[in-house]
Amino acid sequence: IGERQQAEKSADLSDFIGMVAKIVSVALKDENVEFVPDEGKKLIHDPTNPIDHPYITFKVISRRPKDERKPRYRQAIDETGEDAPKNGHVYGQRFECIVQFNIIASEYTQADKVMNTFEELMFQYAHYFKKNGVAELLFEKHFTDENYDTFREKVSVRNLQYYVEIEKLTTVFNTTIDGVEIN
């Protein structure tokens, strides 16, 4: 049995999306695939307009607490620095998220190719996500999202959903803000 692995930092949902954007922009550069990091952004206002390269968009379907309804104590911290000593507590809360990725391309073979490559990247780079704070990443489903039916008249759309588990960590230092009285 190998040594227990631990993430180098924590990641929230926007951190995860940033990681996906980075991987897509590097790995799918030759296919001219553009990842749109703005959730739910409408790329095509008129479905009759052609698109010149594939896009990947995303939408958060849900984010809910996993086992903890509120952040729980994780550890104490005691750091001494040049400015002033810092001590406090770290609280964490795990979240279960369903994130939908939408692949939009001008025709179906291109959409299928981008979708298959995207799925492979998510699997191949699972260790990268986990090292950077994503607790779990699982393929949930490939389905037809009827919200994209209007666009399917002129472009090909593939919808994928992933289960993403993250832990949001919050550090509370034992300090006060000037002018704010805590009683």
Side-chain angles (χ1 to χ4, degrees), residues 56-106:
I56 299 176
T57 65
F58 81 97
K59 177 168 87 170
V60 176
I61 302 301
S62 67
R63 180 176 78 101
R64 63 177 183 230
K66 182 177 179 186
D67 298 320
E68 305 157 318
R69 300 290 293 165
K70 63 181 184 177
R72 300 275 184 208
Y73 175 80
R74 296 291 193 255
Q75 69 184 51
I77 55 171
D78 191 11
E79 300 175 356
T80 53
E82 293 177 16
D83 300 333
K86 293 182 181 179
N87 54 34
H89 304 281
V90 177
Y91 295 85
Q93 184 175 18
R94 284 197 175 222
F95 290 92
E96 296 178 316
C97 310
I98 300 295
V99 180
Q100 178 173 318
F101 295 98
N102 307 297
I103 293 136
I104 302 164
S106 59

Side-chain angles (χ1 to χ4, degrees), residues 17-18 21 34-39 56-58:
I17 296 301
E34 182 180 345
F35 184 86
V36 180
D38 191 4
E39 181 184 6
I56 299 176
T57 65
F58 81 97

Side-chain angles (χ1 to χ4, degrees), residues 16 20 23-24 27-28 33 35 56 99-103 110-127 129 137-144 157-163:
F16 168 70
V20 172
I23 287 170
V24 167
L28 293 172
V33 175
F35 184 86
I56 299 176
V99 180
Q100 178 173 318
F101 295 98
N102 307 297
I103 293 136
Q110 187 180 41
D112 283 342
K113 181 180 179 193
V114 172
M115 178 186 71
N116 290 329
T117 304
F118 181 79
E119 286 181 24
E120 289 169 8
L121 289 171
M122 296 296 275
F123 177 74
Q124 290 171 352
Y125 286 91
H127 68 283
F129 294 117
L137 175 64
L138 302 169
F139 178 83
E140 191 73 18
K141 67 180 175 178
H142 171 194
F143 72 112
T144 301
V157 181
R158 303 293 180 270
N159 309 106
L160 305 172
Q161 285 186 358
Y162 281 82
Y163 170 86

Side-chain angles (χ1 to χ4, degrees), residues 38-55:
D38 191 4
E39 181 184 6
K41 182 174 182 176
K42 296 283 186 204
L43 300 172
I44 310 166
H45 296 289
D46 180 0
T48 60
N49 289 343
I51 60 172
D52 57 352
H53 63 278
Y55 291 93

Side-chain angles (χ1 to χ4, degrees), residues 76-78 85-89 91 171-177 182:
I77 55 171
D78 191 11
K86 293 182 181 179
N87 54 34
H89 304 281
Y91 295 85
T171 304
V172 178
F173 290 107
N174 296 331
T175 59
T176 58
I177 301 171
I182 301 174

